[in-house]
Amino acid sequence: MEVTMVPGKGPSFPEPLREEQDLERLRDPAAVVSELAYVFQAITLTRHRLAGRVPLIGFAGAPWTLMTYMIEGGSSSTMAQAKRWLYQRPKASHQLLRILTDALVPYLVGQVVAGAQALQLFESHAGHLGPLLFSKFALPYIRDVAKRVKARLQEAGLAPVPMIIFAKDGHFALEELAQAGYEVVGLDWTVAPQKARERVGKNVTLQGNLDPCALYAPEEEIGRLVRQMLDDFGPQRYIANLGHGLYPDMDPEHVGTFVDAVHRYSRVLRQN
């Protein structure tokens, strides 16, 4: 499908999916490897330029989140058109989600071949589903992506890489996500770290979860909030991060303040 990046709006699909027969105009998922070769080239170039300073994380949108864009034509506050498909066209919805999964697997494997050292799957629109729809239309494909990517890497003789699942507003499915085949579960800022740890157990790593808007705070306050976050998560099986992405008007200096505070207080935690 044609997708354009509209300034101030984000991804936009000029001709979204409207009817079941629209699925027939979708390309063969195998075309991913050739069509997105430029992504793999960019990863290799970036990996070389990083020269081992930090690990390089590859990523992709999860099937349900990609489906919402393809049907809504862009972002939406309700995802009503995409959810209408789930209720009125469940069979076609599963067909589309399978097509997307079939495209995601070689795409993510290709990123590892190109040099990505970890992979993150973003189910950004998990919260629009609720427990029942999530367990039916999102979770099976999230599991399938992890299982198939790991199998493909093994078949290719490549070392496994850590995989991260981030389902925004998917707090109702934390236990299921922790059992979905990923080494790391990302949390948004609406989840209390201690409660998340109690729910997922000790064998999965947690990532998150500072409110991105905290970066609007003065630098001293950012440092205090980081310290609180690291205390709440504890020093084991944890990756410090924001609870979602950066917004365009955020001051890069404050992002640096966040990273520096994480490094500084992490050293204190390790010494203790």
Side-chain angles (χ1 to χ4, degrees):
M1 294 174 71
E2 182 187 356
V3 58
T4 58
M5 293 301 287
V6 180
K9 186 182 174 188
S12 180
F13 289 75
E15 295 182 42
L17 303 176
R18 288 286 175 247
E19 306 295 335
E20 286 187 38
Q21 53 264 38
D22 290 342
L23 297 181
E24 294 169 13
R25 61 183 167 95
L26 296 178
R27 301 278 302 280
D28 181 340
V32 158
V33 177
S34 57
E35 288 291 323
L36 296 178
Y38 66 91
V39 176
F40 306 139
Q41 291 164 8
I43 287 172
T44 302
L45 186 64
T46 306
R47 175 79 186 270
H48 284 304
R49 292 281 176 88
L50 284 172
R53 290 195 306 276
V54 291
L56 181 60
I57 307 178
F59 75 95
W64 157 248
T65 292
L66 296 175
M67 175 180 169
T68 64
Y69 282 108
M70 294 165 80
I71 292 172
E72 299 285 345
S75 58
S76 159
S77 60
T78 62
M79 301 298 164
Q81 294 307 312
K83 290 178 73 175
R84 180 196 289 250
W85 271 60
L86 303 184
Y87 284 111
Q88 292 186 349
R89 303 175 176 129
K91 196 172 177 182
S93 295
H94 281 298
Q95 183 186 348
L96 176 54
L97 291 162
R98 279 194 297 271
I99 290 169
L100 287 165
T101 302
D102 289 344
L104 280 168
V105 172
Y107 181 50
L108 289 167
V109 170
Q111 291 187 41
V112 176
V113 172
Q117 294 157 288
L119 296 171
Q120 178 155 329
L121 196 68
F122 285 82
E123 191 69 280
S124 304
H125 299 159
H128 289 278
L129 291 176
L132 289 176
L133 288 180
F134 185 83
S135 65
K136 189 174 181 182
F137 292 102
L139 188 60
Y141 301 99
I142 287 170
R143 285 180 178 140
D144 204 30
V145 167
K147 182 180 176 184
R148 290 170 60 185
V149 165
K150 289 179 177 188
R152 284 274 192 98
L153 290 175
Q154 188 172 17
E155 288 164 15
L158 293 166
V161 299
M163 293 185 70
I164 307 161
I165 178 65
F166 175 68
K168 187 174 181 293
D169 298 319
H171 42 81
F172 49 79
L174 276 184
E175 291 88 349
E176 290 83 357
L177 290 166
Q179 302 290 325
Y182 295 77
E183 284 71 35
V184 184
V185 175
L187 303 176
D188 62 50
W189 67 93
T190 65
V191 182
Q194 300 101 321
K195 290 186 177 176
R197 175 55 71 197
E198 288 170 13
R199 290 174 59 187
V200 304
K202 296 177 180 178
N203 295 325
V204 68
T205 296
L206 292 174
Q207 174 177 281
N209 70 338
L210 190 71
D211 181 355
C213 289
L215 297 188
Y216 293 127
E219 294 191 1
E220 282 185 20
E221 177 66 3
I222 292 171
R224 191 192 68 76
L225 290 168
V226 165
R227 184 170 184 146
Q228 180 67 58
M229 177 178 75
L230 268 61
D231 281 338
D232 288 345
F233 275 102
Q236 299 299 317
R237 288 195 176 273
Y238 171 55
I239 301 169
N241 200 353
L242 299 175
H244 201 218
L246 298 169
Y247 304 134
D249 63 346
M250 286 178 165
D251 184 348
E253 292 295 322
H254 283 209
V255 182
T257 299
F258 168 74
V259 174
D260 290 344
V262 168
H263 289 168
R264 191 170 59 250
Y265 193 56
S266 291
R267 284 192 286 269
V268 173
L269 278 178
R270 283 202 299 271
Q271 284 167 4
N272 293 340

